[in-house]
Amino acid sequence: MTAETVRRIAAYGCLTAVCLFAALCATAKPQCGTLVRQIDSVLSRYRATVGVTVLSNRDEIVAANDSILFPLMSVFKFHIALAVLDRMDRNRTRLDSVVRIKASDMHPDTYSPLRERHPGRDFSITIAELLRYSVAHSDNNACDILLEYAGGPEVVEKYVRGLGIENTFISASEKTMHDRIENQYLNRSTPTATARLIETFFENRLFASKYKKFLIRIMTETSTGQDKLKGLLPPDCTVGHKTGSSDRTSTGVKIADNDAGFVLTPDGKRYYIAVFVSDSQEDDPTNASIIARISAIVYDFMIRPTDPNVRRFAAPKACRSTMRPGVRKKESALPNKQALFFLTLVATPQVAGSGTYAQKFGNTTFIRTDDSNKKTKPGYHPPGLSAHGSEKPNPLNFPGRIPTISIAVKSERTRPRDALRRVRRQAFPRGKLPDVHL
């Protein structure tokens, strides 16, 4: 790749950032205006080309830069898995069928936990384990073995197109992509095509249910990219995804950092999301944080009340049938006799204090602050209130990012709204208070 090519890529990325808001507005549902603005506020500050697509079972669609074909990288291992399972279904092949792998199939100088487990020798393994290594652990050698089993790149692309998914081009194996760095641009797709493929798999019967359930399970077991789509989401939602990451060019440009998958929220909502970061001049943690922040913004949007007149209120399962906002109940009816009412705060990156952290614990969240003007001890909570849960900083140490916060508070003489004001003042001492729905 010449210096002139890289210069053009960088210039194109900057132009994309400037024009992103217009692209978002052109492809978003009218009711998604707030989501569009929030996504744009994240993307406009980075030196990268970013594509985003969100599909939901409420038929809401948001897409950014969807006319661009992004390098898929290891995301195409999901495409391969579909083609492999389709062949297994047609041939009635069992998941525990054993195949023999030669030591020569384990290519060196590529990411491969499978090769590390079986160094320098022939071995036998089930197809299910090969799929797990390829999808959940993004093993490149397992991927190429499965690609050959499926019939090659052309067969995989034909299968995907047969599902009605356009704008997807697959022509290279992992080995081919590692032969020359330019080859990492060969397998390409749009974010919408990738999200639509995941939606098609999830919503339809492409093959027997045992194969479908297995693929869903290994997608939720994905060990790579924990700081991407899942990075800022609460632990009680289910995320199944496939990540992708490239090498860097000689000038330091990251060809691709991707993540795509499905999210199931605790209240039963389901949506599909693909975030592709390409030709990035940012470092790897920054690329991951772009994906994580967009994912968190989408999650907060998806769990909002569908009716703006409905109060935003969530109670612990143990007392959901007996609690209403602002109504005191007997402590014996509440979990661990801890809460008399349940409050919900909604914070956005723009308003949350940079030293504030939250850790969700069951259906409650414990909050603390380490503001430079007010150091607090572990176990801190506002005076006069009791909060139960687990106190732990955000694992990514992401400044200013608080997801939806549910706080169980106890106070005999304080009304819910008064207690909420006190929580806000104590948790956000700089005066940057979050939006509140009670």
Side-chain angles (χ1 to χ4, degrees), residues 398-410:
F398 204 94
R401 171 61 200 160
I402 303 287
T404 300
I405 305 173
S406 300
I407 306 172
V409 298
K410 175 183 178 182

Side-chain angles (χ1 to χ4, degrees), residues 46-300:
Y46 296 107
R47 299 169 299 169
T49 303
V50 183
V52 180
T53 290
V54 181
L55 310 176
S56 85
N57 56 356
R58 285 183 291 172
D59 197 31
E60 294 171 345
I61 301 177
V62 173
N65 286 331
D66 197 51
S67 61
I68 299 174
L69 290 169
F70 288 83
L72 279 170
M73 301 313 302
S74 288
V75 174
F76 91 122
K77 293 170 183 173
F78 172 74
H79 302 59
I80 295 172
L82 291 180
V84 167
L85 291 173
D86 175 72
R87 175 178 174 177
M88 294 178 68
D89 186 45
R90 287 186 284 106
N91 295 337
R92 298 184 180 180
T93 305
R94 294 165 53 96
L95 284 166
D96 58 2
S97 298
V98 176
V99 293
R100 189 69 177 169
I101 307 299
K102 297 180 179 180
S104 58
D105 294 328
M106 297 289 100
H107 303 297
D109 303 323
T110 190
Y111 179 74
S112 180
L114 182 62
R115 183 191 62 237
E116 300 303 318
R117 183 175 179 180
H118 304 279
R121 65 175 183 270
D122 298 350
F123 61 94
S124 297
I125 190 172
T126 64
I127 299 179
E129 281 302 297
L130 278 176
L131 285 165
R132 179 174 280 107
Y133 269 102
S134 179
V135 175
H137 306 303
S138 207
D139 189 291
N140 293 335
N141 283 321
C143 169
D144 282 355
I145 293 170
L146 291 170
L147 181 59
E148 182 179 356
Y149 176 86
E154 297 80 7
V155 172
V156 174
E157 179 182 320
K158 182 178 179 181
Y159 172 76
V160 171
R161 290 182 177 274
L163 298 177
I165 308 299
E166 301 296 333
N167 297 320
T168 298
F169 303 91
I170 298 174
S171 60
S173 65
E174 283 287 354
K175 183 179 183 303
T176 300
M177 287 192 285
H178 283 79
D179 287 341
R180 295 179 60 192
I181 193 167
E182 292 84 358
N183 292 346
Q184 296 183 19
Y185 285 97
L186 292 177
N187 296 333
R188 300 165 294 154
S189 187
T190 63
T192 293
T194 304
R196 190 68 71 185
L197 180 63
I198 298 173
E199 178 190 46
T200 300
F201 156 70
F202 206 95
E203 303 287 349
N204 298 278
R205 188 184 186 278
L206 303 183
F207 28 70
S209 61
K210 61 181 178 181
Y211 302 119
K212 179 177 181 177
K213 291 177 181 178
F214 175 75
L215 183 52
I216 291 175
R217 183 166 72 249
I218 61 177
M219 289 180 72
T220 62
E221 295 172 355
T222 294
S223 60
T224 57
Q226 294 296 302
D227 55 351
K228 292 183 177 179
L229 283 182
K230 291 182 65 175
L232 295 175
L233 299 189
D236 56 351
C237 69
T238 301
V239 181
H241 60 129
K242 185 68 202 81
T243 61
S245 184
S246 73
D247 297 324
R248 288 184 179 269
T249 67
S250 58
T251 58
V253 174
K254 183 84 167 185
I255 293 175
D257 251 326
N258 304 329
D259 206 354
F262 63 85
V263 179
L264 305 177
T265 67
D267 60 353
K269 295 185 178 70
R270 178 173 62 252
Y271 64 92
Y272 309 90
I273 179 172
V275 184
F276 291 169
V277 180
S278 181
D279 299 322
S280 175
Q281 300 180 59
E282 309 291 347
D283 58 21
D284 289 355
T286 301
N287 290 336
S289 72
I290 294 172
I291 299 173
R293 292 188 68 179
I294 293 172
S295 177
I297 288 171
V298 171
Y299 180 86
D300 289 346

Side-chain angles (χ1 to χ4, degrees), residues 333-399:
L334 305 177
N336 301 323
K337 300 183 180 180
Q338 291 288 322
L340 290 179
F341 45 80
F342 207 75
L343 307 175
T344 300
L345 281 73
V346 179
T348 62
Q350 290 77 22
V351 298
S354 62
T356 306
Y357 304 97
Q359 175 67 27
K360 195 169 181 63
F361 183 78
N363 285 310
T364 66
T365 299
F366 192 87
I367 60 172
R368 61 168 288 188
T369 178
D370 279 333
D371 188 85
S372 58
N373 298 323
K374 185 173 182 178
K375 295 293 182 180
T376 57
K377 299 178 181 180
Y380 162 82
H381 57 268
L385 302 175
S386 296
H388 69 284
S390 173
E391 181 274 319
K392 183 179 180 182
N394 186 307
L396 293 180
N397 291 321
F398 204 94

